[in-house]
Amino acid sequence: MRGSSAPADIASDLIRRLCAFAAAITASLGPQARSAHGADPSGFDPSRAQFDHDAVRFLLQVLGEGRPVYLCSETHPEPFVSAVAQHLGVFTAWAAAPERQLAAAQREELPPLLHQGFDYIGSAAVALPDSASRLARPARSEPSAPVGMHTWLKLFRVHQYAKNALVLVPLLTAHKFALGSAATSLFAVIAFSLCASGAYILNDLLDVEADRAHPTKRNRPIASGTVPASRAVGAMALALVAALAMAMSISIEFGGVLLGYFALTTSYSFWLKRIATVDVVVLATLYTVRVIGGAVAISVPMSEWLLAFSLFIFMSLALVKRYIELAGQPDGAVLAARGYQVEDKAMIAILAAASGFNAVVIFTLYISSDTVRALYSHPQLLWVGCPILMYWIGRVMLFAQRGLIDDDPVIFALRDRVSWVALGAIGAIMLAAI
């Protein structure tokens, strides 16, 4: 079906993701909390078994290429094979003794007798039909090493923390340069960063199946199996508890803003990101909430001008992100779990440009307002920032059109030297205008 997802499809996908997350939570509680179907009644516990990491990674790679992966055994009983299959979560279906019968829930998923041919990895003693190809077994890896710091940083997406510098914007626009205010703002940045990490981990747990089928996301720590789901759940809980504790130490109001941010980003992960246009509005709001949180943290009124400017500029960047994703899709495709069609690309580009230049209009109206005259001695200097801002927005749109921005325009801006020069110029103009 083309267009937006049907309500039934959204509901079924939401239920599936909730079940997947519940399974991860159950796994984190230990063997005693698992249901009977997660382990062999004879006492075998797959969570305590050692699996060949290279073999599992190979299966994930094959699955990511869009090929089905089946687990079959003539020597082990159904409960044993079922426990292994459910624990690893990489198999399309499984079959086991006795008489190579499938479990009722899996029977319809396995192609009849695999007559069309298949690649086999397993015991060399097994005789294969002519239609099958025997693959070399990946070299057995050494016992799994402890998860390294780089992997944890990748799980927490520390490279995304730069986005939380938006919390500092009210500190600068309100000219609150006292040491105490600066320290509070930095503390608020850390709280938002930890909360965002918890939200990222939650999203990875929910999207683990889709990530394993994605050419780049399958390398994420959870999707690749580098970090077990149970440890990821623990890391998520630790990050969220630390974030809330830090937020409440700043103020109850700031704690409320942070909880609202987490509630909105969780709603986005579960549901809202599947609704076309709603998703980009939510993304713009999430960026703006960071700015609001910065104002609440240092107890300064949230400027209506800053609020309006933030919503429009971040709406523009969110639309650019969707445009880039659609540009990488073949003609006639539908952006997975987003509800956009490739044919929507032109309209999204128009909306992105309109939102970006609306932000410029708001900035010009701000320069002419009484608020500026109360904060700046030379407000007329701020007009110099308008052409710089117009140039930067136009440049981002042009680069997106040319395919020079890979994914997130915010990450692109953080890595782009010209963007830093433009930001520095605007900052110098604002300082000169004080």
Side-chain angles (χ1 to χ4, degrees):
M1 178 182 294
R2 300 181 58 158
S4 301
S5 299
D9 293 336
I10 295 177
S12 63
D13 186 62
L14 179 60
I15 293 172
R16 177 186 61 78
R17 291 157 66 85
L18 283 169
C19 291
F21 182 59
I25 291 289
T26 303
S28 70
L29 299 177
Q32 68 277 9
R34 294 185 179 92
S35 60
H37 69 270
D40 184 348
S42 65
F44 170 68
D45 184 358
S47 67
R48 298 182 180 275
Q50 291 186 351
F51 295 95
D52 188 330
H53 182 74
D54 289 334
V56 175
R57 184 180 292 275
F58 172 75
L59 296 177
L60 285 172
Q61 180 180 349
V62 172
L63 192 67
E65 294 171 355
R67 302 170 59 191
V69 178
Y70 302 102
L71 176 64
C72 301
S73 174
E74 296 180 334
T75 58
H76 293 89
E78 286 184 1
F80 180 92
V81 179
S82 172
V84 171
Q86 294 186 40
H87 175 72
L88 293 179
V90 300
F91 299 104
T92 306
W94 56 267
E99 299 178 358
R100 285 180 273 181
Q101 293 298 311
L102 293 176
Q106 302 288 332
R107 187 172 297 151
E108 64 181 9
E109 298 179 18
L110 192 65
L113 303 179
L114 297 174
H115 282 314
Q116 297 180 355
F118 58 91
D119 294 327
Y120 174 80
I121 177 173
S123 174
V126 174
L128 299 177
D130 294 337
S131 60
S133 299
R134 192 184 301 273
L135 299 181
R137 182 181 180 86
R140 184 175 296 277
S141 61
E142 297 297 325
S144 298
V147 179
M149 180 58 67
H150 175 74
T151 301
W152 286 115
L153 294 178
K154 188 176 180 181
L155 177 69
F156 276 69
R157 298 197 202 177
V158 174
H159 64 283
Q160 300 275 9
Y161 282 5
K163 296 179 180 179
N164 297 310
L166 293 170
V167 176
L168 302 175
V169 170
L171 180 77
L172 303 177
T173 56
H175 302 167
K176 294 286 186 178
F177 301 125
L179 184 60
S181 297
T184 300
S185 293
L186 289 175
F187 210 56
V189 169
I190 297 173
F192 259 97
S193 298
L194 290 173
C195 184
S197 289
Y200 288 139
I201 295 173
L202 173 61
N203 186 72
D204 287 351
L205 287 167
L206 294 172
D207 284 346
V208 62
E209 293 182 10
D211 287 350
R212 285 171 176 169
H214 193 276
T216 57
K217 293 181 180 180
R218 67 187 184 197
N219 295 320
R220 288 178 175 176
I222 299 176
S224 66
T226 307
V227 176
S230 57
R231 298 185 69 180
V233 170
M236 178 188 70
L238 181 63
L240 293 177
V241 169
L244 183 59
M246 295 179 69
M248 297 303 290
S249 70
I250 294 175
S251 69
I252 295 177
E253 293 77 11
F254 179 74
V257 172
L258 194 67
L259 285 175
Y261 168 84
F262 181 72
L264 184 58
T265 191
T266 302
S267 299
Y268 176 82
S269 296
F270 273 101
W271 176 39
L272 297 177
K273 70 180 182 180
R274 292 169 183 74
I275 307 176
T277 67
V278 171
D279 62 328
V280 289
V281 172
V282 173
L283 283 177
T285 303
L286 287 172
Y287 281 115
T288 305
V289 168
R290 290 175 168 95
V291 180
I292 296 173
V296 173
I298 59 175
S299 300
V300 297
M302 180 63 192
S303 168
E304 294 180 356
W305 294 107
L306 180 58
L307 179 63
F309 178 84
S310 299
L311 282 172
F312 277 102
I313 194 69
F314 294 130
M315 180 70 173
S316 177
L317 294 177
L319 286 164
V320 169
K321 179 178 173 66
R322 289 292 175 262
Y323 175 89
I324 295 168
E325 292 173 346
L326 282 172
Q329 300 294 316
D331 292 340
V334 176
L335 191 59
R338 289 293 189 272
Y340 294 97
Q341 301 175 11
V342 172
E343 290 79 3
D344 299 330
K345 187 170 59 175
M347 178 55 68
I348 290 177
I350 294 172
L351 292 175
S355 296
F357 283 92
N358 273 340
V360 178
V361 172
I362 290 172
F363 184 68
T364 61
L365 294 175
Y366 168 70
I367 295 174
S368 305
S369 68
D370 295 335
T371 303
V372 165
R373 297 187 181 92
L375 289 173
Y376 296 91
S377 301
H378 308 286
Q380 64 274 13
L381 291 177
L382 296 177
W383 283 100
V384 182
C386 289
I388 298 176
L389 186 59
M390 293 168 66
Y391 161 75
W392 183 80
I393 293 173
R395 183 172 181 267
V396 168
M397 292 297 303
L398 189 61
F399 275 32
Q401 170 73 25
R402 294 176 177 176
L404 299 178
I405 302 178
D406 293 334
D407 183 20
D408 192 335
V410 176
I411 298 299
F412 163 79
L414 293 173
R415 297 172 178 171
D416 179 46
R417 183 169 59 183
V418 174
S419 296
W420 279 104
V421 171
L423 178 63
I426 293 176
I429 291 168
M430 294 180 69
L431 288 175
I434 295 178

